[in-house]
Amino acid sequence: MTKIDIDKLLHQRIIYKCKPLYEDGYFPQAASESMKQVELAIKEKTGIGEKLFGVRLVNQVFGAGKSIKLKIPLGDELQEQAKSLFKGAFSYYRNYAAHDGSKIDEIICIRVMVLASELLDLIGASSISFTEIGGVEGLIKQGIFDDETQIADLVSLLSSQVFVDETYDGMFKDLAIGGYPDSQYQAVFDLDFVELRSKIENHEFPEDPMDFDKIEWFELTPMGRKVLNQIRKSSSA
């Protein structure tokens, strides 16, 4: 009979945080810590700092309502099934391990660690979406931006950028200088405030070889112009 190397089934986070407990015979504690690591990974991925745990946390990031969402890699049509998977794991294993755990033996502990590893892999492969965060108000409420002015400044900065032949170094330098993290950059795109436009320009002259440049620039969408105008009006009021 082939012996399975358990490390091949476990996420590195589980190996580091939970396997030592398992090896020392603390099976309920190892199982409980495994589910805690899934919970922490969701919070780290989404940046949600609210006091949400277990099923409530899953409902927040996978369910309906205004919030940062965790989008699974297999497609939006399976989002509800992913929510059920996480809810079931938290309802069945996390809650029992956290409040009792007396029946968790070595075999059950291994099952929980493997399940937690699968959930951690799924979290790692998922993406963050701000489309359902609730617009400008939601971005501020969730702590993505400090205030409306910061949103307006980023949108204005992006709409001033022009790129030649897909050279974006200058923009990322400006973002770094302005202190804008990736989450803010992604948020204004998810909420359709700006869009990337492009065209091909021909600089050739008679008897010269063809010389084409790809020109790209960020442009405010109708929604972006509306939001920017609203922010400016409220700032000047």
Side-chain angles (χ1 to χ4, degrees), residues 29-88:
Q29 291 84 351
S32 178
E33 185 61 34
S34 295
M35 296 310 299
K36 285 181 182 178
Q37 290 304 313
V38 175
E39 199 168 61
L40 287 171
I42 292 175
K43 290 187 174 185
E44 291 165 5
K45 182 87 174 187
T46 60
I48 290 179
E50 299 177 30
K51 294 182 179 180
L52 294 175
F53 304 94
V55 172
R56 288 184 62 212
L57 176 64
V58 171
N59 285 334
Q60 177 94 337
V61 299
F62 287 104
K66 296 179 180 179
S67 174
I68 301 168
K69 300 300 179 186
L70 197 60
K71 297 294 185 180
I72 62 165
L74 300 182
D76 288 346
E77 66 275 9
L78 293 176
Q79 193 73 10
E80 188 63 31
Q81 287 84 342
K83 175 184 172 183
S84 297
L85 173 63
F86 278 86
K87 281 183 68 174

Side-chain angles (χ1 to χ4, degrees), residues 136 139-158 174-185 187-188 193-194 227-228 231-232 234-235:
V136 170
L139 288 172
I140 297 170
K141 182 179 179 181
Q142 293 290 335
I144 306 303
F145 287 88
D146 294 334
D147 50 37
E148 291 183 342
T149 300
Q150 193 178 35
I151 298 173
D153 289 345
L154 175 56
V155 170
S156 298
L157 171 63
L158 290 174
D174 289 344
L175 290 173
I177 292 173
Y180 300 109
D182 289 343
S183 58
Q184 293 180 342
Y185 175 74
V188 297
F193 292 169
V194 294
V227 166
L228 191 57
I231 292 174
R232 285 172 174 169
S234 64
S235 298

Side-chain angles (χ1 to χ4, degrees), residues 184-196:
Q184 293 180 342
Y185 175 74
Q186 182 183 341
V188 297
F189 282 97
D190 280 1
L191 292 176
D192 194 31
F193 292 169
V194 294
E195 62 182 351
L196 185 63

